[in-house]
Amino acid sequence: MNLSVAIYLAFKELWRFRGRYLLVSLVIALITLLVIFLAALGEGLANGNKEYISKLDGELLLYQEQANLSVSASQLGRSAMNDIRRLSGVADAGAIGTSSVFIDYAGAEESESVSLLGVEPGYPGEPAVERGEQMGSLRANEAIIDRNTARNTGLDVGDTLLINATQGTVDEQYPLKVVGVTDGQQYFIQPSVIIPLYTWDRVRPRPTSTVGPSELTFNIANVKLEDPAEIESVSRLLEERVSGIEAVDRVTAYEATPGYVEQASTLNTQRGFTLLIGVLVVGGFFQIQTLQKVGQVGMLKALGASNFVVGVSATIQIVTVNTLGVIIGGLSTLLLTMFLPPSIPIVFIGQEILVAVLTLLIIGPLGGMVSIRYLLRVEPLTALGLAN
Amino acid sequence: MKNVLCTNDLTKTYQLDDEIIMAVDQVSFEVNAGEFIGLVGPSGSGKTSLLAMIAGLLSPNGGKIILAGEPLSEMSESQRTKFRRQKIGFTFQTNNLVNFLNVRENVELMLRLNGKLDAEGKERAVELLDRLGLGERLHNLPSQLSGGQRQRVAIARSLIHDPELVLADEPTASLDTTLAFQVVETFSQLIHEQNRVGIMVTHDLRMCRYTDRVFQMVDGKLARIISDADEIQQLAKTDN
């Protein structure tokens, strides 16, 4: 019975003073918009850095030991792959080379900047295509483009793209046929073009104009384990048996991307401050509301309303106003992103968004805690002007 | 006559720094069903403290209160809250109504708090409001009412749940004379008709003309109980 009275009082007041409460919901909506936008931006930027790495079919990434987990500084030789593949506990492994190039294509108004990823067809590192087919051989003049490249350029299976690469002092163009389109595989905040490793070595930008007689080098190796639970032991074994490498898991690998941690912490700090402002706004509003109705609450208590009724009623109001604000803010953010250019990396999935929404749902009760406590301490004697 | 309220050596003291203030000093009285009492006295005489103790809002330092046969002074806070809800009706000087509930909802609130809001209760609320001249104002919010109308809504609310005791703290303080007389007269009529006990704290002696007895408080003591009707009418003519 007490609960039904609390619900009745809470919603009656919300409805009768709906303009006032809606205003607070709109303020919370703005805070929500900012927090979710920052979370989505963080997710998008992080995704842009790590998407290809995080989706690799494998558990370990191998770097040159002295490269300090920098992909571009790491250089591994082709011969190392044989040692890696032979090791006990390794199911398979694939070499990965990375560089950044501009591509041209029919109808292009301007060149598109992409990450050019060299992989071994049929080995871990080559992403599965959504349409078209996998690449044929290590030297094929073929490419798989990711969904982002396809969206930005309009390229599709069967089209030809041109790799623009400066080799030595000469600008070269290499035509490659698109044989497949894969899902999002961004790397280094760029859409990607995945090509066979030998082709990559031939077409990538380089300081000298010709491919030398020395052994082919690439940047990192992706290792798939027979038993993923054995990651620690196989990692140690790899570092012992293959000279000059460092083995890390995928999370460590993408967290080592230059600027990744700094970027994430900057966005998290902004989000933290925004949430703090949210707590203060909600807390401030409900405290003012509480101070305005001390007399009325005293009267209600004098009439026989219990602290349960008063406390639950206030909590229901705070949660309702806050939840409404979060819903309006969430929908506004989705609406807003429909009008943002695709170059702004926003991703509305993932743990970051979930955490942001849950945190926003908590800030209401958190901010309103002081006012609820205050309400519970109002004495019924206030109704007779005797509380002091 | 059924005895509804009985106090015995009721005492309340307040500590102010090192000084102990005797707000209510060994007050004893009995009130029967159907009696309307005027509680008067100068500021600081202890009348509001006495009212608060009778209402179960304030614990006495000594003495007993028996209301409707139950020892109010010995109850815990939660017991007193429930007891107030069921057995006592209130009309206050200010903050009388819930500002987001309309007239009808304000009156029905007491039934709702007691879990007794049914079709019959709703009908009674409308009848009572009609009787108090508020039949056309059922859906108005308190902010849309005059001071007199608000007090009449409060009177309806104080009676709707059939309480044993109805308490009014300066119910006419914010009203002009004509309205004040109307409100107290209506209050008195309803108390008598429904055979309740009514206690009204007032500083306006003119309002005592509608009461059956007048309790005069001086310095925390119940200095005088006036029962004689002529004497009460004489008192009501006294210039404040």
Side-chain angles (χ1 to χ4, degrees), chain A residues 46-303:
Chain A
N47 199 47
N49 264 321
K50 73 182 183 187
E51 193 171 28
Y52 173 71
I53 299 286
S54 66
K55 288 181 178 174
L56 280 172
D57 179 22
E59 289 78 30
L60 282 172
L61 284 165
L62 308 185
Y63 291 73
Q64 187 181 15
E65 192 175 12
Q66 291 179 338
N68 203 21
L69 300 185
S70 163
V71 174
S72 55
S74 172
Q75 294 291 310
L76 299 176
R78 183 96 179 95
S79 59
M81 288 309 296
N82 298 327
D83 298 337
I84 294 164
R85 286 185 178 124
R86 277 199 293 266
L87 210 70
S88 165
V90 173
D92 208 347
I96 299 169
T98 70
S99 51
S100 187
V101 296
F102 284 95
I103 60 168
D104 278 318
Y105 47 94
E109 289 179 3
E110 55 185 38
S111 301
E112 177 78 10
S113 175
V114 299
S115 282
L116 189 66
L117 305 171
V119 302
E120 296 175 281
Y123 287 91
E126 183 192 22
V129 295
E130 287 182 330
R131 58 178 189 274
E133 54 192 40
Q134 300 298 131
M135 294 180 293
S137 72
L138 271 171
R139 295 177 195 279
N141 288 327
E142 294 172 344
I144 292 172
I145 59 173
D146 85 331
R147 194 186 290 165
N148 302 297
T149 306
R151 187 195 62 212
N152 293 355
T153 62
L155 285 166
D156 208 340
V157 176
D159 294 338
T160 299
L161 60 83
L162 292 168
I163 303 285
N164 296 319
T166 303
Q167 297 177 331
T169 56
V170 183
D171 290 333
E172 299 282 1
Q173 276 200 325
Y174 296 97
L176 298 176
K177 186 184 176 190
V178 178
V179 295
V181 177
T182 182
D183 61 350
Q185 295 283 346
Q186 293 177 87
Y187 179 71
F188 219 65
I189 321 279
Q190 285 178 317
S192 61
V193 172
I194 299 107
I195 62 175
L197 189 63
Y198 277 75
T199 310
W200 169 79
D201 191 46
R202 182 166 54 85
V203 305
R204 71 187 162 112
R206 62 173 69 250
T208 54
S209 59
T210 55
V211 179
S214 58
E215 181 188 22
L216 181 147
T217 58
F218 50 91
N219 298 103
I220 54 174
N222 175 36
V223 176
K224 186 172 167 56
L225 304 181
E226 287 172 351
D227 179 5
E230 298 294 317
I231 189 165
E232 290 292 327
S233 58
V234 178
S235 177
R236 273 197 306 276
L237 198 65
L238 276 163
E239 288 178 349
E240 282 169 18
R241 300 283 176 83
V242 183
S243 64
I245 65 152
E246 183 177 0
V248 293
D249 58 58
R250 280 181 297 174
V251 176
T252 309
Y254 62 67
E255 283 184 352
T257 308
Y260 180 88
V261 173
E262 290 81 355
Q263 173 189 290
S265 61
T266 303
L267 287 166
N268 281 338
T269 306
Q270 286 177 354
R271 205 166 37 182
F273 272 111
T274 314
L275 285 169
L276 181 65
I277 291 167
V279 171
L280 293 176
V281 167
V282 175
F285 170 77
F286 281 104
Q287 188 60 22
I288 291 166
Q289 284 284 98
T290 297
L291 291 173
Q292 282 178 345
K293 57 185 187 185
V294 164
Q296 185 162 284
V297 170
M299 180 264 290
L300 275 170
K301 288 188 180 182
L303 293 179

